[in-house]
Amino acid sequence: MSTPSRLSFSQKLFLVNLTYLLPCAVLVFFLIKEKNAQLAFSASEKAGLEIQRPLVSLLLHVSQHKALLHLNQQNENHSREKMSATQSLIEGDFLSLDDLSQRYGEVLALSDVELNARKKIDSSPKNLKGNWQLILSKLKDSNLQELNERHDQLISDILGGIGYVGDSSNLILDPDLDSYYIMDVTLLGLPKAVDNMRQLLSLVQSLPAGGAELSKEALIQFAIFSFKLKDDLARISSDVQIAINEDKKFYGHLPALQRELPIDLKTFASSQEKLSKLIDRMLTLKVGDSWPEAETAFLSSTLDVFDQSMVFWSKVAAVQEKLLDTRMDQHRWERIVAMILSFLAWLPPALLALLTVRQMSRSFSSAVTKLEKEADGAHSSSSQLASASSMVSSGSTEQAAAIQETGASMSEIASMIARSSTQALSSQDLARKVTQRADEGCTVMEKMVLSMESIHDANSQLQNISSIIHEISTKTNVINDIVGKTQLLSFNASIEAARAGQHGRGFAVVAEEVGNLAQTSGNAAKSIRELIDDSQKQVAHILKTTLERVSEGKTVTEQAQTIFGEIAQDISKISAQVESVTEAAREQQLGIEQISKAMMQMDQTTQSNNKAAHLAAHLSDRLAGQSQKLTHIARSVAQLVFGREQAELRAQSLGPNQGQRPAELETLGKGTSPLKVLHKNASKEEDDKAILEGLRRRNQQMAQPGESLATLSADDESFKEAV
């Protein structure tokens, strides 16, 4: 048998319900982890957008600086102030870039080691600033071509830095269509358009001045740039329109995107259309035509487009930042809602489990208490039955002694009658002796009457035993009811455990064990009921037989008293009626024979009563053992329900004598049978020894702790030997 746990059944069931928290906690953990990952993803995009701002500003300002440098070389003094202002803006862009690089360098992998590993070291903030310082150092030189090459290299590195930031910050992987197409404008569309305008300006500046003839290659280049600029504008317009259309499908309408951005797009498009018109005018010329000096117009228009591009990029970047903030706010709200819903989803089952645990604990406590009370009742009934069996055995012993004395007296009477028949001549002397013997016979008959009354009292005690057995049968019916309710409770618990699936497997095992215990108790109660029914039948038969024998004995006794009265009358007339003595003696002899037959019948009845007393003692012993087993089962169930420590405290509160065998059964099982006092016949003594030996073997077997008491039945060999 497994060692009982220290935890009660309610505590175990509550712990099982607490384990329901584990999958919920795991789900909430992964859900929050996913939301945190989405927040980190959006935060990385926001950081990339912030660090992209000084890079785009550098792209525009460096492109402007290159154009202004060309004008400065043509001795246009009004461009020197713009160059100085542009250089100041570039220095401010580098300061912002350095500050943001230190803030987001670890997040966006902007360290020299990581850039070198990705072969983007040329686009590092340190190298960009170094190239710009080199351009500043070469401004005093007159080599315009070298400065143009260095400007172009710096612009190319800036474009590479913009693309790298878009990759490392996850901007290129934006999951929402509205913010994705806005990202396409800020990260790809506008930087590409600015680069194309910068290349167009370089083409215009490379053409010879003074109205030289246009070559075929120059016209082709103008046509290509016209297509590129229109394609860039169409791409940017398409991206903005798609973002506006897709905005309603995600986190609601954004006013800055729906109303303000289209206006900004029109302003930017109008500035770029002016540049496109200049290119279209160039395309109206033919090969060999002299082209007017339009460099100043191109430069002015391009610088205006650069300014509008920066303004438009800032507006688009602000829209993208608001979209990212809206998305992050939504993720934070979803994270809070997920935590609240998870808690609310767990709370009702937890409260229901707590309520169920309390209700089941109360039900089990009530059932165990009733089972213990019924076990105590069965134990008390078995003790009463043992006491009654002891009293029956004692009465049978006294009855056997009285019959023995009566038999001896009858033997003496018979011998006296025989002597009176042979000594009729000396009737006078013998008359006195016969008178004395007759008096003694009356005394013996009075004792015999008292013995018959004792037998009648013993029969009354047997009736009490029958009542006790009937009470035990009633208690057994109560036990059967408890067993039925316990099995029904176990069946319902098994159904609930099956509904719970994997989480109810432990509870299903407990329910099955309770059902097995209930079935074992039911089988034991059924056996007790069968034994009680047999006992009632046997006791009823014994009562009937004893009453019949007592009635016959009483009749015979009354006859004996009548005969002894006649003997007394004959003795008073013996002097005158000597001749009638012989005839009277014969009549007396016939009466004595009848008395002897009655005594033999009483002897048989006494033997039957003694065997019935032993059988009742044996059954009471078995009932005590089974009540002890029932008490043990009740304590096992109590240990299962309340835990080992609480069950021990309950057992101590019930008293130390519960479950012990009655002392009367031990005395009766180990004492000497009253049949040995009554019977001197060798065959009868052997029968008594066989009965006692069978009872002793059963007592020894019941005293062994390892044997189950539930195995006793009417088919037991020792029981058959006792019967």
Side-chain angles (χ1 to χ4, degrees):
M1 184 176 179
S2 60
T3 304
S5 174
R6 293 181 179 272
L7 299 177
S8 66
F9 177 76
S10 60
Q11 291 173 337
K12 292 178 182 178
L13 187 58
F14 186 71
L15 290 177
V16 170
N17 283 275
L18 282 181
T19 56
Y20 170 72
L21 268 177
L22 294 178
C24 293
V26 171
L27 291 176
V28 172
F29 169 76
F30 283 109
L31 182 60
I32 294 177
K33 182 178 180 182
E34 177 64 22
K35 290 301 176 183
N36 290 336
Q38 293 175 353
L39 286 171
F41 189 93
S42 299
S44 178
E45 286 188 84
K46 194 173 180 180
L49 184 62
E50 289 186 24
I51 205 169
Q52 186 183 351
R53 187 184 303 275
L55 289 173
V56 173
S57 181
L58 276 175
L59 176 64
L60 292 169
H61 292 152
V62 171
S63 299
Q64 288 177 345
H65 186 270
K66 178 184 176 182
L68 294 173
L69 179 64
H70 190 75
L71 290 177
N72 189 32
Q73 291 294 330
Q74 295 178 358
N75 296 322
E76 294 187 13
N77 294 328
H78 68 277
S79 65
R80 294 179 181 177
E81 296 180 359
K82 290 187 176 181
M83 280 189 62
S84 178
T86 303
Q87 290 177 7
S88 299
L89 292 175
I90 292 174
E91 292 294 336
D93 292 337
F94 275 115
L95 290 176
S96 298
L97 182 62
D98 290 338
D99 181 55
L100 294 174
S101 297
Q102 293 179 1
R103 188 185 307 174
Y104 301 115
E106 184 177 356
V107 177
L108 302 179
L110 295 177
S111 64
D112 292 342
V113 176
E114 293 174 338
L115 286 170
N116 190 30
R118 293 170 174 80
K119 297 181 180 182
K120 293 289 185 179
I121 191 64
D122 294 336
S123 300
S124 66
K126 182 178 180 181
N127 287 338
L128 293 177
K129 191 173 183 180
N131 291 335
W132 169 247
Q133 295 296 332
L134 185 59
I135 291 173
L136 292 179
S137 65
K138 298 291 184 180
L139 287 177
K140 297 180 180 180
D141 297 339
S142 59
N143 191 352
L144 184 60
Q145 183 178 358
E146 183 181 357
L147 288 174
N148 288 335
E149 291 177 357
R150 291 190 180 278
H151 275 90
D152 292 339
Q153 182 62 41
L154 179 58
I155 291 172
S156 177
D157 293 339
I158 292 173
L159 288 172
I162 293 174
Y164 176 76
V165 169
D167 293 336
S168 62
S169 64
N170 301 322
L171 277 169
I172 198 68
L173 300 175
D174 192 274
D176 299 335
L177 287 179
D178 51 357
S179 56
Y180 177 82
Y181 282 99
I182 294 297
M183 174 276 305
D184 188 69
V185 174
T186 59
L187 185 64
L188 301 175
L190 272 175
K192 181 181 178 183
V194 171
D195 187 49
N196 288 331
M197 287 184 287
R198 189 262 309 170
Q199 293 179 14
L200 173 63
L201 187 58
S202 298
L203 175 62
V204 173
Q205 292 173 349
S206 65
L207 293 176
E213 295 180 356
L214 290 173
S215 63
K216 181 179 180 180
E217 290 77 7
L219 291 175
I220 293 174
Q221 290 295 325
F222 276 112
I224 292 173
F225 279 111
S226 176
F227 173 77
K228 286 184 178 180
L229 292 178
K230 292 179 181 179
D231 182 67
D232 291 338
L233 182 60
R235 175 181 179 178
I236 293 171
S237 300
S238 177
D239 288 343
V240 172
Q241 188 60 43
I242 293 175
I244 292 173
N245 295 335
E246 297 294 335
D247 184 44
K248 61 183 178 180
K249 297 180 181 179
F250 292 94
Y251 308 111
H253 293 281
L254 184 65
L257 175 59
Q258 298 290 333
R259 294 192 295 268
E260 299 174 7
L261 194 58
I263 299 174
D264 298 329
L265 177 61
K266 289 181 180 180
T267 304
F268 170 74
S270 62
S271 65
Q272 195 165 3
E273 286 175 356
K274 293 179 181 179
L275 184 60
S276 298
K277 289 179 180 180
L278 290 175
I279 298 175
D280 292 338
R281 290 178 187 176
M282 296 295 296
L283 293 177
T284 58
L285 301 176
K286 298 179 181 180
V287 177
D289 292 342
S290 59
W291 68 288
E293 294 183 3
E295 182 178 356
T296 303
F298 268 103
L299 180 59
S300 176
S301 180
T302 303
L303 291 175
D304 183 57
V305 173
F306 283 162
D307 292 336
Q308 292 298 326
S309 297
M310 189 63 205
V311 173
F312 183 65
W313 188 93
S314 299
K315 295 293 182 64
V316 176
V319 169
Q320 187 174 10
E321 186 175 5
K322 290 181 180 179
L323 289 174
L324 292 175
D325 289 338
T326 304
R327 184 199 305 169
M328 294 176 70
D329 292 340
Q330 181 68 22
H331 289 328
R332 293 189 185 97
W333 172 248
E334 289 177 354
R335 181 175 61 184
I336 295 173
V337 170
M339 295 176 64
I340 294 175
L341 291 179
S342 299
F343 176 76
L344 294 177
W346 172 82
L347 185 60
L351 294 177
L352 181 60
L354 181 61
L355 181 62
T356 303
V357 167
R358 289 184 177 180
Q359 290 179 350
M360 293 186 67
S361 178
R362 293 174 182 174
S363 299
F364 275 121
S365 177
S366 177
V368 170
T369 301
K370 291 180 180 179
L371 185 61
E372 290 177 346
K373 289 182 179 180
E374 294 302 328
D376 292 341
H379 175 73
S380 176
S381 299
S382 64
S383 300
Q384 295 176 2
L385 181 60
S387 300
S389 300
S390 178
M391 294 175 64
V392 170
S393 178
S394 176
S396 299
T397 302
E398 294 178 357
Q399 184 181 13
I403 291 175
Q404 183 182 14
E405 292 178 359
T406 303
S409 300
M410 294 304 298
S411 298
E412 292 178 358
I413 292 173
S415 61
M416 289 175 64
I417 292 174
R419 285 196 300 271
S420 64
S421 297
T422 57
Q423 297 178 2
L425 297 176
S426 59
S427 61
Q428 292 295 333
D429 295 333
L430 294 177
R432 290 192 296 268
K433 295 180 181 180
V434 171
T435 302
Q436 295 177 356
R437 297 300 182 185
D439 294 335
E440 292 177 357
C442 290
T443 303
V444 171
M445 292 304 298
E446 290 177 357
K447 291 181 179 180
M448 186 172 65
V449 171
L450 294 175
S451 298
M452 296 302 295
E453 291 178 354
S454 297
I455 293 173
H456 186 270
D457 293 336
N459 289 332
S460 300
Q461 293 177 357
L462 287 176
Q463 290 179 352
N464 292 333
I465 292 173
S466 177
S467 300
I468 292 172
I469 292 174
H470 180 70
E471 292 179 0
I472 294 174
S473 176
T474 304
K475 298 294 183 179
T476 305
N477 291 332
V478 175
I479 294 174
N480 286 330
D481 293 338
I482 294 174
V483 169
K485 293 179 180 179
T486 305
Q487 288 179 340
L488 180 59
L489 181 60
S490 173
F491 179 72
N492 292 333
S494 300
I495 294 175
E496 295 297 329
R499 291 179 179 175
Q502 182 68 21
H503 303 290
R505 180 177 297 176
F507 181 64
V509 173
V510 174
E512 182 180 359
E513 186 64 22
V514 172
N516 293 334
L517 292 175
Q519 185 176 3
T520 303
S521 301
N523 294 333
K526 183 177 180 181
S527 300
I528 294 174
R529 181 62 182 270
E530 293 174 355
L531 293 174
I532 289 172
D533 293 337
D534 294 338
S535 300
Q536 286 180 332
K537 293 179 180 179
Q538 293 180 5
V539 169
H541 179 70
I542 291 171
L543 287 173
K544 181 178 179 181
T545 305
T546 304
L547 289 175
E548 291 176 357
R549 296 296 184 269
V550 168
S551 177
E552 293 175 0
K554 187 175 181 181
T555 302
V556 172
T557 303
E558 291 176 354
Q559 292 177 358
Q561 286 180 340
T562 302
I563 292 172
F564 274 104
E566 293 175 357
I567 292 173
Q569 292 177 1
D570 292 337
I571 291 173
S572 62
K573 297 177 181 179
I574 195 170
S575 299
Q577 298 179 356
V578 174
E579 294 180 357
S580 62
V581 170
T582 303
E583 186 66 24
R586 284 195 296 269
E587 292 179 357
Q588 290 177 1
Q589 188 173 4
L590 293 175
I592 291 300
E593 289 178 355
Q594 293 178 356
I595 293 174
S596 297
K597 292 180 180 180
M599 293 300 296
M600 291 178 64
Q601 292 177 355
M602 291 175 64
D603 185 17
Q604 293 176 358
T605 302
T606 303
Q607 293 181 19
S608 299
N609 291 340
N610 207 335
K611 290 181 180 180
H614 277 286
L615 179 60
H618 175 65
L619 293 176
S620 64
D621 196 5
R622 288 180 55 194
L623 182 59
Q626 291 177 350
S627 65
Q628 184 179 6
K629 179 65 175 178
L630 183 60
T631 302
H632 178 69
I633 293 173
R635 291 184 179 179
S636 299
V637 174
Q639 289 178 353
L640 176 64
V641 174
F642 302 108
R644 186 173 61 188
E645 296 180 354
Q646 293 295 328
E648 290 178 355
L649 293 176
R650 287 172 58 87
Q652 292 176 0
S653 64
L654 292 176
N657 296 325
Q658 184 182 0
Q660 296 182 359
R661 297 175 63 193
E664 294 85 350
L665 297 182
E666 298 291 339
T667 304
L668 185 60
K670 297 179 181 179
T672 304
S673 172
L675 292 177
K676 289 187 176 180
V677 180
L678 177 63
H679 301 287
K680 297 181 180 179
N681 187 279
S683 60
K684 292 184 178 181
E685 290 181 357
E686 290 176 359
D687 293 338
D688 295 342
K689 290 180 180 179
I691 294 173
L692 290 175
E693 186 64 23
L695 292 176
R696 288 194 183 98
R697 284 201 304 269
R698 173 48 54 190
N699 290 334
Q700 292 175 358
Q701 292 176 359
M702 292 179 66
Q704 294 178 0
E707 182 180 359
S708 174
L709 296 177
T711 58
L712 289 172
S713 65
D715 296 330
D716 194 283
E717 293 297 331
S718 60
F719 180 82
K720 293 179 180 180
E721 291 177 2
V723 177

